Amino acid sequence: MDTYTPYVYTALWLILSIYMFYIALKNSKFFFVLSGFFLFLSGWYLADELLTDINLFEGTYVWIYRSVAIVVLIACAFAYLKYRKSVANQENNTQDE
């Protein structure tokens, strides 16, 4: 990779984290989870670049990375299903009236 690419990824995840935190304050509190995940990604990419003797995308470290990503993905899926269910209930209530 390029010498600046990991820093660009770090900045990208940090900006997204700040944005999701802002969205969470205004809208749904679930965006705090996404904000934390993007902050985790930012730290992961920065640590991968700064710790030259450890490659965080190989071995045990990549499984930690994947596990956190899977947990967040599952949490997002449950939140989406809950949202869809509430929208369907609201539509049923408006049709009954």
Side-chain angles (χ1 to χ4, degrees):
M1 269 205 287
D2 216 8
T3 57
Y4 297 110
T5 305
Y7 298 111
V8 171
Y9 279 121
T10 299
L12 169 81
W13 296 127
L14 187 61
I15 290 168
L16 282 173
S17 175
I18 293 168
Y19 180 68
M20 286 297 140
F21 187 81
Y22 173 74
I23 295 291
L25 290 176
K26 293 187 120 195
N27 295 331
S28 174
K29 302 301 181 206
F30 178 73
F31 286 105
F32 283 123
V33 173
L34 292 177
S35 177
F37 178 63
F38 289 140
L39 190 62
F40 168 77
L41 288 177
S42 175
W44 194 270
Y45 275 89
L46 185 62
D48 185 50
E49 183 62 24
L50 295 179
L51 301 172
T52 56
D53 55 333
I54 300 173
N55 187 357
L56 294 180
F57 291 102
E58 287 183 357
T60 306
Y61 299 112
V62 77
W63 286 103
I64 295 169
Y65 177 83
R66 289 175 182 170
S67 299
V68 170
I70 288 171
V71 167
V72 171
L73 180 66
I74 291 171
C76 288
F78 280 125
Y80 177 72
L81 292 175
K82 182 179 175 184
Y83 170 76
R84 288 283 306 240
K85 188 175 181 181
S86 69
V87 167
N89 286 340
Q90 287 177 354
E91 288 177 359
N92 288 339
N93 289 340
T94 58
Q95 288 176 357
D96 291 340
E97 293 176 359

